[in-house]
């Protein structure tokens, strides 16, 4: 068992946890953001990240220090914490990203892990092979074999209390991701980044990003802290957290700022296009887009970077509160509306609903039915599974509205999207859901799927659906085995 990571609150596959980083002597609350610090640039000073943004952890690249005449000896002499002036936890990368960009780096896993240890890193990284999307299966397998060897080499390096990342690769082959994750989890390493997803995110391939995360999660234990390498845009935090990611690193705040771009939770804006700042962070409360445009290059970059960090941390807090309140999927639904590719990402997440259901709490605060996707949420599929276990006593009528039972042995309610349930359960979660009065087709179909589950589990029982205002298409979706009783004329339709 891994004892450095403790889960506190769950929602879907999302969780709030505590990652203990022994070498730093700190406990980092997850989901956490690790701003990327490039020692050559330092767009925002690490001390400011700590004081103004509450950063508990950051990430920098050990390979930059290793290969730099300016920084190598200083890092070895002073240590990263003093050199960067940061007292929280520091994660270092290994040069694998440079390997992916330039095809070659001149360091081994032993050397770079030892070096990361020697400069005082709290979480180090071996030289994994970030296999890009869409490569041949042969290449993905070959690269993965190398990555696995490097993780095993990393296990043998004496790094004291430093935690070590075990990156999970596998390109766009979910079965390889799962296998990579299972192998990584079997090592003694500590943190599990899902790697080489940057090209997917750059191309808005959020569905495949989600599939990669879900595949990795299948191979990892629930106690594995999962990092989404290179994911720093606040737009996708809710989605990635709901898929089970705990750590994010953001170079985006600085890279976009350099490019005069302004992050929002709905996407990226060009500073040139903004007449108004849709944000109340200290930067946006104090200035107008015109004023920011008139700043000199460096000041403008730092100003935009500050805003970008404010929205990024704000979204992370919103995600954590949503987990606390049990409505993370409702936040994901909201974010999914900002781009069709985000909607694909959310739909890919719902394709993995069984995986979400396994960790989703049985009872939460509320269920808001707010989109066609709501009908596919884990709470609905869990109710359908449960229908096969609920006892049914004799001939049963399923009423789409409150009403008397017309002489049947037993009366249940039939409500989209959950389907049938005994009246006694109507005050229990999630059947207390707030739903719109005008259901969409998906909600009726989900209810029909619930009826099917009930009928299949009770082949000896006669079921009748007593309906009031259900559309024809919804009635057609019901299994043939149920009788239909039109209650609109009033017989048996008195409201109770
Ligand atoms: N940064 C972004 N992606 C990756 C990756 O796959 N591996 C490593 N080590 N760093 C990354
Ligand atoms: Zn702002």
């Amino acid at each position: 068992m891994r004892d450095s990571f403790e889960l506190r609150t769950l929602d879907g596959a999302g969780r709030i946890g505590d990652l203990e980083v022994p070498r730093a002597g700190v406990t980092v609350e997850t989901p956490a953001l690790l701003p990327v610090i490039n020692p050559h640039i330092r767009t925002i000073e690490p001390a400011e990240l700590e004081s103004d943004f509450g950063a508990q952890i950051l990430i920098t690249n050990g390979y930059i220090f290793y290969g730099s005449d300016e920084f190598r000896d200083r890092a070895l002499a002073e240590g990263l914490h003093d050199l960067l002036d940061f007292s929280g936890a520091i994660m270092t990368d290994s040069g694998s990203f440079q390997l992916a960009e330039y095809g070659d780096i001149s360091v081994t896993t032993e050397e770079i892990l030892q070096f990361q240890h020697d400069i005082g890193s709290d979480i180090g990284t071996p030289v994994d092979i970030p296999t890009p999307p869409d490569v041949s299966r042969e290449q993905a397998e070959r690269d993965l074999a190398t990555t696995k060897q490097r993780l095993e080499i990393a296990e043998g390096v004496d790094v004291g209390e430093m935690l070590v990342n075990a990156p999970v690769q596998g390109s766009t082959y979910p079965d390889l991701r799962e296998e990579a994750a299972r192998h990584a989890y079997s090592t003694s390493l500590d943190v599990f980044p899902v790697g080489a997803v940057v090209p997917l995110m750059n191309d808005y391939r959020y569905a495949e990003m989600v599939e990669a995360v879900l595949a990795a999660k299948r191979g990892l234990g629930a106690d594995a802290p999962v990092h989404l390498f290179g994911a720093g845009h606040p737009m996708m935090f809710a989605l990635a957290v709901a898929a089970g990611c705990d750590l994010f690193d953001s170079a985006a705040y600085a890279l976009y700022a350099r490019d005069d771009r302004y992050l929002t939770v709905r996407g990226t804006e060009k500073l040139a296009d903004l007449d108004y700042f849709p944000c109340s962070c200290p930067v946006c409360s104090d200035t107008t887009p015109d004023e920011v445009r008139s700043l000199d290059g460096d000041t403008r970059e730092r100003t935009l970077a500050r805003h970008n960090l404010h929205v990024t941390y704000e979204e992370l807090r919103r995600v954590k509160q949503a987990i606390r309140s049990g409505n993370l999927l409702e936040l994901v639904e909201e974010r999914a509306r900002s781009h069709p590719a985000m909607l694909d990402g959310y739909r890919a997440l719902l394709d993995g609903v069984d995986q979400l259901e396994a960790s989703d709490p049985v009872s939460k605060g509320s269920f808001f039915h707010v989109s066609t996707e709501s009908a596919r949420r884990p709470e609905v599929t869990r109710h359908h599974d449960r229908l096969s276990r609920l006892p049914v006593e004799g001939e049963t009528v399923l009423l789409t509205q409150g009403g008397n039972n017309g002489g049947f042995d037993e009366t249940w309610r039939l409500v989209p999207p959950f389907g049938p349930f005994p009246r006694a359960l109507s005050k229990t979660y999630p059947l207390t859901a707030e739903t719109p009065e005008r259901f969409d087709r998906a909600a009726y179909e989900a209810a029909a799927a619930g009826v099917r589950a009930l009928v299949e589990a009770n082949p000896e029982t006669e079921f009748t659906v007593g309906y009031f205002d259900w559309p024809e298409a919804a009635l057609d979706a019901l299994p043939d085995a149920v009788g239909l009783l039109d209650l609109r004329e009033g017989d048996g339709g008195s409201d109770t």
Side-chain angles (χ1 to χ4, degrees):
M1 278 312 267
R2 292 182 155 78
D3 49 12
S4 58
F5 191 49
E6 199 170 308
L7 298 175
R8 282 197 268 127
T9 312
L10 303 171
D11 188 9
R15 58 261 190 100
I16 296 178
D18 283 321
L19 178 66
E20 206 186 304
V21 186
R23 199 171 186 206
V26 300
T27 299
V28 174
E29 186 188 67
T30 65
L33 176 79
L34 295 75
V36 175
I37 294 298
N38 180 331
H40 292 293
I41 303 175
R42 291 172 77 139
T43 312
I44 305 290
E45 281 298 318
E48 187 182 337
L49 290 174
E50 207 162 359
S51 62
D52 291 13
F53 297 91
Q56 295 184 302
I57 181 166
L58 60 75
I59 180 168
T60 187
N61 197 322
Y63 188 67
I64 295 182
F65 288 89
Y66 184 82
S68 154
D69 292 336
E70 183 187 353
F71 286 116
R72 186 190 162 94
D73 293 340
R74 267 191 69 199
L76 285 168
E78 298 171 32
L80 280 180
H81 289 83
D82 282 354
L83 195 158
L84 294 177
D85 190 14
F86 186 74
S87 71
I90 298 181
M91 182 187 283
T92 46
D93 205 347
S94 59
S96 286
F97 195 68
Q98 281 74 4
L99 176 68
E101 293 283 298
Y102 311 115
D104 194 25
I105 56 168
S106 51
V107 72
T108 65
T109 283
E110 285 104 322
E111 287 163 345
I112 198 68
L113 263 187
Q114 189 63 53
F115 180 75
Q116 291 171 81
H117 171 267
D118 293 346
I119 62 177
S121 173
D122 302 307
I123 309 174
T125 310
V127 186
D128 56 304
I129 311 286
T131 313
D134 312 319
V135 301
S136 70
R137 182 156 183 114
E138 291 67 36
Q139 187 189 333
E141 285 177 353
R142 207 163 46 236
D143 284 0
L144 181 54
T146 307
T147 294
K148 286 178 174 175
Q149 276 170 10
R150 306 237 170 119
L151 301 192
E152 286 160 20
I153 289 168
E155 281 185 284
V157 181
D158 181 8
V159 293
E161 282 197 309
M162 181 173 83
L163 299 180
V164 177
N165 278 322
V168 174
Q169 300 290 347
S171 185
T172 22
Y173 298 95
D175 62 316
L176 291 186
R177 281 276 176 194
E178 185 174 339
E179 182 197 322
R182 195 159 283 120
H183 170 267
Y185 190 66
S186 76
T187 67
S188 60
L189 306 182
D190 308 285
V191 179
F192 302 88
V194 178
V197 289
V198 173
L200 291 179
M201 291 184 289
N202 287 346
D203 289 343
Y204 285 75
R205 292 164 68 177
Y206 294 118
E208 288 158 284
M209 183 271 281
V210 167
E211 283 163 6
V213 171
L214 290 178
K217 296 284 291 188
R218 286 195 290 275
L220 295 168
D223 59 351
V226 177
H227 181 159
L228 194 58
F229 250 149
H233 199 303
M235 180 168 80
M236 34 73 54
F237 286 170
L239 178 63
V241 169
C245 296
D246 307 296
L247 301 166
F248 301 89
D249 61 282
S250 174
Y253 78 94
L255 296 176
Y256 284 79
R258 193 163 314 146
D259 212 15
D260 280 325
R261 288 196 287 173
Y262 178 98
L263 299 183
T264 83
V265 292
R266 303 174 62 204
T268 311
E269 304 283 351
K270 292 195 182 88
L271 176 62
D273 295 338
L274 288 178
D275 291 323
Y276 309 94
F277 283 143
C279 172
S280 303
C281 82
V283 173
C284 301
S285 307
D286 248 26
T287 49
T288 66
D290 264 340
E291 285 164 0
V292 174
R293 277 191 285 270
S294 71
L295 298 171
D296 72 77
D298 266 6
T299 316
R300 197 170 68 242
E301 183 178 327
R302 284 174 211 283
T303 303
L304 283 174
R306 269 187 206 104
H307 155 80
N308 288 347
L309 275 173
H310 278 297
V311 283
T312 304
Y313 279 106
E314 176 184 347
E315 180 69 353
L316 214 52
R317 290 192 297 272
R318 188 178 288 118
V319 165
K320 286 190 281 195
Q321 184 57 44
I323 295 173
R324 259 300 147 69
S325 306
N327 55 25
L328 177 61
L329 286 181
E330 283 149 34
L331 180 60
V332 177
E333 271 178 355
E334 221 176 296
R335 294 292 175 252
R337 263 62 208 172
S338 60
H339 195 286
M342 288 288 298
L343 187 54
D344 278 332
Y346 181 38
R347 289 179 176 167
L349 181 71
L350 291 171
D351 287 342
V353 66
D354 293 346
Q355 241 175 290
L356 302 189
E357 204 213 302
S359 46
D360 195 47
V362 177
S363 186
K364 293 189 276 188
S366 65
F367 180 108
F368 275 26
H369 187 102
V370 286
S371 73
T372 52
E373 285 76 24
S374 301
R376 300 179 56 201
R377 283 176 49 168
E379 295 90 337
V380 177
T381 48
R382 175 184 294 133
H383 179 70
H384 290 175
D385 293 344
R386 182 182 179 197
L387 280 168
S388 63
R389 299 188 302 271
L390 287 173
V392 180
E393 317 281 344
E395 206 182 333
T396 300
V397 66
L398 314 174
L399 293 177
T400 65
Q401 269 177 229
N404 78 36
N405 70 10
F408 288 86
D409 298 332
E410 192 164 344
T411 309
W412 285 30
R413 294 295 314 277
L414 175 57
V415 180
F418 299 99
F421 54 85
R423 281 203 288 205
L425 292 183
S426 54
K427 296 277 189 292
T428 65
Y429 186 87
L431 305 167
T432 47
E434 299 277 349
T435 60
E437 289 182 9
R438 295 150 195 246
F439 283 109
D440 53 78
R441 203 187 165 98
Y444 284 116
E445 280 170 5
V451 174
R452 216 170 301 127
L454 185 67
V455 168
E456 277 167 18
N458 300 278
E460 307 300 321
T461 308
E462 260 186 56
F463 291 98
T464 302
V465 168
Y467 64 93
F468 294 81
D469 54 354
W470 273 38
E472 206 64 37
L475 295 173
D476 286 348
L478 293 168
D480 293 336
V482 300
L484 292 178
L485 184 60
D486 184 348
L487 296 172
R488 280 171 297 189
E489 298 312 316
D491 48 319
S494 69
D495 270 335
T496 51

